[in-house]
Amino acid sequence: AGTLLFTAGGGSVDPVPMFGNANPAQAALRNWVINLNKELDGSGVHAAHVVINVWIGGGGPEGGPTATPEQIAPLYWDLHENRDRSEAVFNA
């Protein structure tokens, strides 16, 4: 029993040229987690992919969307508690 939560950036679902080197790996992780969740169905273990489509804290491009860890954390808890989907996207 338990929950496995994996995180990738927005490029895993909507590729961004600036992250062209990381997008394929993130998309592969996303695919793997969604398939893992299907395989684990009925086992008591839930796997989900979290897409964070913002800069966490500061340091991102000027005018880009940002969020704090405290704003993002409830999404993880919701996936753990409800176990109703294999993916969630956090947007600003």
Side-chain angles (χ1 to χ4, degrees):
T3 306
L4 303 168
L5 298 173
F6 299 84
T7 303
S12 63
V13 294
D14 186 17
V16 179
M18 180 169 68
F19 297 113
N21 61 332
N23 290 333
Q26 292 181 49
L29 174 66
R30 174 182 184 250
N31 183 285
W32 182 80
V33 172
I34 291 170
N35 281 299
L36 176 63
N37 187 59
K38 290 176 184 178
E39 187 67 26
L40 293 172
D41 188 38
S43 71
V45 178
H46 177 68
H49 179 249
V50 179
V51 178
I52 299 180
N53 205 19
V54 298
W55 291 95
I56 301 172
E62 186 154 336
T66 63
T68 66
E70 293 80 13
Q71 292 171 305
I72 299 168
L75 181 62
Y76 286 87
W77 186 249
D78 180 63
L79 283 168
H80 169 69
E81 284 288 302
N82 293 312
R83 307 174 80 142
D84 59 350
R85 59 198 188 279
S86 61
E87 182 172 61
V89 178
F90 184 91
N91 288 304

